[in-house]
Amino acid sequence: MAVIAGNWKMHKNRGEALAYLQEFAPLVAGSDQEIVLCAPFTALAVLSEPLATTGIALGAQNVHWEAAGAYTGEISPPMLTDLGVRYVIIGHSERRQYFGETDERVNLRLKAAQRHGLIPILCVGETEEQRHQGLTEAHILAQLAQGLVGVKVPQVIIAYEPIWAIGSGNTCPPEEANRVIGVIRKEITLLQQATSQATDHVRILYGGSVKPDNIDDLMAMPEVDGVLVGTASLEPQAFARIVNYRVAP
Ligand code: PGA
């Protein structure tokens, strides 16, 4: 079963979210994939109840690490679980780039999410410049090493999202996504062994300009356990085609 997660980012009010669901849910009704819709905080409440009767899970796009407190503008893990949220994106490159997100805070958020029974989707990935300088692996491994301290690794979903591929239409070639995810998997396995954690299979997704016309090739890659989709998840027909990907047996 693949994880197919949509990240709506800062899109869709309540009415738009419900209209989307009405069109999207029947298109994926027979799917046995793990489908996740990561909606803005303001659309979570209205999606929660109608989603419960579908096989689609609700996700958020960030979470604070404290359960409650004087943190103006923040949303806590229990606030999310109260709404039926089961997944949360942590460390998205847009949070890192525009909102000063650090690996240290990513780590706090990951641990807090797990304490409260949320499944974190941890995003890692290199900039175009880092890639050109040959720093792709070193950068990602540093993000993992710092982000995953004290985290139950088998219960994290990791998303490899090369920043140059996000929102650019410039998808990472499937073979290269497969290679980098293989590198991540090796590192994760070492980390699991070093911290005496079960070496269960960790789901690792690809993200960055995933579309109906490249999903089949991406999902054909042996290391790719699913995808995290931004732009193409905003349109029900496109996202449904991604959920219903076809890989030759
Ligand atoms: P994109 O975004 O699909 O629009 O490239 C992916 C993401 O940011 O998760």
Side-chain angles (χ1 to χ4, degrees):
M1 192 163 69
V3 179
I4 311 289
N7 173 12
W8 283 357
K9 308 192 180 183
M10 198 171 71
H11 294 282
K12 297 195 191 294
N13 62 24
R14 292 177 305 162
E16 290 163 342
L18 283 177
Y20 177 100
L21 188 59
Q22 235 170 19
E23 189 178 345
F24 177 67
L27 298 172
V28 298
S31 170
D32 55 5
Q33 311 303 354
E34 199 169 324
I35 309 168
V36 185
L37 278 183
C38 297
F41 292 131
T42 46
L44 293 175
V46 81
L47 285 172
S48 183
E49 207 182 303
L51 273 183
T53 56
T54 69
I56 306 164
L58 191 56
Q61 301 171 15
N62 195 17
V63 67
H64 196 263
W65 49 89
E66 293 294 342
Y71 299 100
T72 302
E74 294 297 312
I75 301 288
S76 76
M79 290 172 176
L80 295 180
T81 53
D82 179 50
L83 289 169
V85 171
R86 291 182 35 220
Y87 297 77
V88 60
I89 296 172
I90 293 177
H92 191 280
S93 61
E94 286 153 14
R95 302 279 342 153
R96 296 178 190 261
Q97 186 180 351
Y98 305 131
F99 303 100
E101 185 71 318
T102 61
D103 288 316
E104 193 187 3
R105 288 183 173 196
V106 163
N107 178 251
L108 290 172
R109 293 185 210 279
L110 285 169
K111 288 187 290 191
Q114 290 195 327
R115 270 200 304 279
H116 294 275
L118 290 161
I119 302 171
I121 302 174
L122 165 63
C123 300
V124 296
E126 79 286 1
T127 62
E128 189 161 26
E129 199 184 347
Q130 286 165 330
R131 173 158 284 261
H132 286 147
Q133 291 173 341
L135 297 173
T136 298
E137 288 80 1
H139 176 67
I140 293 170
L141 297 188
Q143 285 182 319
L144 292 171
Q146 293 170 51
L148 290 174
V149 176
V151 172
K152 293 182 210 110
V153 177
Q155 280 121 52
V156 176
I157 295 174
I158 293 172
Y160 168 53
E161 297 209 308
I163 294 170
W164 47 271
I166 293 178
S168 63
N170 192 8
T171 320
C172 182
E175 294 73 18
E176 176 60 7
N178 192 64
R179 185 191 71 79
V180 177
I181 290 177
V183 171
I184 293 174
R185 195 176 302 290
K186 243 186 226 143
E187 184 70 9
I188 292 295
T189 307
L190 289 176
L191 196 75
Q192 285 170 284
Q193 285 164 349
T195 52
S196 311
Q197 301 192 46
T199 47
D200 300 4
H201 183 85
V202 173
R203 271 99 50 90
I204 309 182
L205 318 182
Y206 167 76
S209 297
V210 175
K211 297 189 196 77
D213 66 7
N214 57 33
I215 184 66
D216 298 344
D217 292 339
L218 285 163
M219 291 309 301
M221 295 292 121
E223 296 284 7
V224 177
D225 296 318
V227 285
L228 180 56
V229 187
T231 313
S233 76
L234 292 171
E235 207 277 299
Q237 297 282 344
F239 194 43
R241 172 63 182 86
I242 290 171
V243 170
N244 300 320
Y245 67 86
R246 299 166 208 146
V247 172

